[in-house]
Amino acid sequence: MAKRIQFSRHGGPEVLEFVDYQPAVPGPHEVRVQNRAIGLNFIDTYFRSGLYPPPALPSGLGTEGAGIVEAVGAAVSQFQVGDRVAYATGPLGAYSELHVLPASKLVKLPDAISFEQAAAVMLKGLTVQYLLRQTFALKGGETILFHAAAGGVGSFACQWAKALGVKLIGTVSSTAKAEKAMAQGAWATINYSHENVVERVLELTDGQKCPVVYDGVGKDTWETSLDCVAPRGLLVSFGNASGAVTGVNLGILAQKGSLYVTRPTLAGYADTPEHLQGMADELFGMIASGQLQVEIGQRHTLADAAAAQTALSARQTTGSTILLP
């Protein structure tokens, strides 16, 4: 028997239950991981609330964690008992002492990276890796726009862009968040609560706009983002924090300069074990070299997951939050 967080109905944090459960025996291609640290992310609240329906109820929760391999399936050859591993892309059930998942979802964790660092950085860090290194392969010298630059993904993007020699303009909602983004490596910030984003981008780029704009906000920033992309440039719409972008008229891309638009996902880039491990290796290398700092602002026990989610939803957290079994 082991402990886990589960929910039997949708709702607020109060529906989360800390229960005993019997972990499954790994199937032929599966691995059972003894979690040492678990990542907390906004997407977890979407499954809990029912915005994203889980496969069935009752359901486990969470997709990100790090720990030690405890058991392997008969067909698994790339991992063995005792290996240090991390994961970020499911399936649901990471909020647990023991988690069974496909071996294809795991990466090997080098000794230089702690379990807590891995649990705090995997999902956000791998997202930044594919955005900056693959969706638009930044080479250095570019001036880019990144929305919500002081957020979890944005903070890592600021650091990574600076390491690449890229000038990142970050949008923020307050002076405090502007200061945070600048401290993380942003080249400039735009406080959209009182500044016009498009006008400021034109000023900062001498009227050239940006070859790529990264937009994880969605509906509320869609039009603004399009107006900040240089002719034949790329708008990367990778999230929908304010709601999904709908009703898009492709003709607007022609009107605004023969623009490109993509809607990528982490799963679309980490689509093979080899791709996933390669992305993780680059991420871990950035951390080991000191170019990427992992800020863990909050640590909660696994039993205290409801309080941790409450704080996250109320925007009372800084950096990453992790759960400790």
Side-chain angles (χ1 to χ4, degrees), residues 8-323:
S8 301
R9 59 188 175 88
H10 296 297
E14 72 278 356
V15 304
L16 298 182
E17 308 165 304
F18 188 52
V19 301
D20 292 310
Y21 84 112
Q22 183 61 54
V25 174
H29 299 279
E30 293 180 327
V31 171
R32 190 165 65 214
V33 177
Q34 181 186 57
N35 281 328
R36 295 295 180 85
I38 300 153
L40 184 89
N41 296 285
F42 262 107
I43 194 172
D44 304 342
T45 69
Y46 298 160
F47 283 106
R48 185 207 69 217
S49 70
L51 179 64
Y52 293 174
L57 292 176
S59 174
L61 193 59
T63 61
E64 179 182 41
I68 296 175
V69 172
E70 191 214 46
V72 299
V76 174
S77 59
Q78 65 271 47
F79 297 102
Q80 55 188 340
V81 172
D83 281 351
R84 302 173 79 251
V85 294
Y87 56 92
T89 57
L92 291 177
Y95 285 25
S96 60
E97 292 176 338
L98 298 172
H99 186 31
V100 175
L101 67 165
S104 60
K105 301 292 186 181
L106 290 172
V107 299
K108 292 187 176 180
L109 185 63
D111 292 339
I113 309 300
S114 72
F115 295 120
E116 291 193 0
Q117 285 177 313
V121 77
M122 279 289 287
L123 187 61
K124 302 177 188 71
L126 289 176
T127 297
V128 173
Q129 195 282 339
Y130 85 73
L131 289 175
L132 303 192
R133 303 288 288 141
Q134 298 187 72
T135 305
F136 188 102
L138 293 166
K139 297 177 174 61
E142 301 94 342
T143 301
I144 68 174
L145 181 68
F146 204 103
H147 287 293
V153 173
S155 293
F156 289 125
C158 288
Q159 296 181 63
W160 208 315
K162 183 178 181 180
L164 291 171
V166 170
K167 295 179 178 179
L168 183 147
I169 304 169
T171 67
V172 296
S173 61
S174 69
T175 300
K177 289 186 176 181
E179 292 173 351
K180 178 181 178 182
M182 292 297 291
Q184 297 281 7
W187 174 68
T189 59
I190 302 172
N191 186 335
Y192 60 81
S193 64
H194 66 264
E195 292 183 287
N196 183 293
V197 174
V198 177
E199 290 179 359
R200 284 291 291 141
V201 165
L202 286 169
E203 292 172 4
L204 290 164
T205 62
D206 295 325
Q208 298 302 302
K209 301 186 181 181
C210 300
V212 59
V213 172
Y214 295 99
D215 189 341
V217 178
K219 177 171 64 71
D220 290 353
T221 50
W222 171 252
E223 293 286 348
T224 295
S225 292
L226 286 173
D227 287 335
C228 293
V229 182
R232 298 181 301 283
L234 175 66
L235 170 52
V236 182
S237 179
F238 69 94
N240 55 358
S242 67
V245 177
T246 59
V248 175
N249 175 6
L250 290 179
I252 199 171
L253 302 179
Q255 296 167 17
K256 293 184 181 294
S258 298
L259 306 183
Y260 295 86
V261 173
T262 185
R263 179 60 175 89
T265 64
L266 174 56
Y269 283 86
D271 56 345
T272 68
E274 293 76 19
H275 288 164
L276 175 60
Q277 186 68 58
M279 293 166 66
D281 287 345
E282 184 172 6
L283 171 63
F284 296 150
M286 292 289 290
I287 298 169
S289 70
Q291 294 176 293
L292 203 64
Q293 299 293 321
V294 181
E295 178 192 358
I296 301 173
Q298 300 74 219
R299 293 172 174 83
H300 293 264
T301 64
L302 179 58
D304 205 26
Q309 285 200 358
T310 298
L312 182 69
S313 297
R315 302 192 182 278
Q316 296 171 344
T317 63
T318 58
S320 297
T321 299
I322 60 171
L323 305 174

